[in-house]
Amino acid sequence: MGTSPVWARWVAAVLAVVVLVAGAVLLFGGGDGGRVELTSSSARHSVRLVVERARVGTTAMDVEATGASTVDSVRLEPAMHMGHAMRPAATTTVGPGRFRAENVLLEMTGQWEVTVVLRDGTGTERVVFPLLVS
């Protein structure tokens, strides 16, 4: 006795729904919303970005920059992958090469990019970090 075509289509439909739901959870809310630490580098600096809470709402973000020159200032530019940008966040210096932004707004779930804008005596550099917000 074989599997009936109706039963096979029903199983295929259920599996398709499960795959779609799992994909949506991963894309739009799969992160646990906790602390996230990311690292990257530019031509002159190594940069570490720490996000206190990768969740919808406001959060604090810390930046640590080391490299060939001393960073004078840092600005954070959060934006959704689809181009929806938030207001740039100014930082305060908390130590040599260490900066903190309070109350950075992440207003919806999904894939974000946080651009860290570094300014030193030789110019400006931009380092982009991907961030999944839940």
Side-chain angles (χ1 to χ4, degrees):
M1 217 187 226
T3 305
S4 73
V6 172
W7 179 254
R9 279 184 270 175
W10 186 83
V11 169
V14 169
L15 287 174
V17 169
V18 168
V19 168
L20 286 173
V21 169
V25 167
L26 288 174
L27 182 60
F28 298 113
D32 67 1
R35 181 182 169 101
V36 176
E37 294 186 32
L38 304 164
T39 58
S40 189
S41 60
S42 64
R44 297 187 308 265
H45 299 97
S46 293
V47 181
R48 184 171 78 111
L49 175 67
V50 178
V51 180
E52 276 189 13
R53 290 177 7 123
R55 300 190 106 175
V56 171
T58 58
T59 188
M61 294 187 187
D62 294 301
V63 175
E64 185 176 339
T66 58
S69 62
T70 302
V71 174
D72 300 320
S73 66
V74 169
R75 183 178 69 240
L76 301 176
E77 298 175 348
M80 288 287 295
H81 73 286
M82 63 183 142
H84 178 71
M86 301 305 301
R87 165 186 255 160
T91 62
T92 56
T93 304
V94 294
R98 295 177 46 229
F99 302 85
R100 182 170 178 89
E102 300 284 347
N103 301 317
V104 179
L105 180 59
L106 304 170
E107 70 176 12
M108 63 182 75
T109 61
Q111 186 63 49
W112 286 74
E113 289 182 346
V114 178
T115 301
V116 176
V117 182
L118 307 163
R119 182 172 296 260
D120 64 12
T122 60
T124 302
E125 286 188 308
R126 302 170 84 77
V127 181
V128 179
F129 293 91
L131 178 66
L132 182 61
V133 174
S134 63

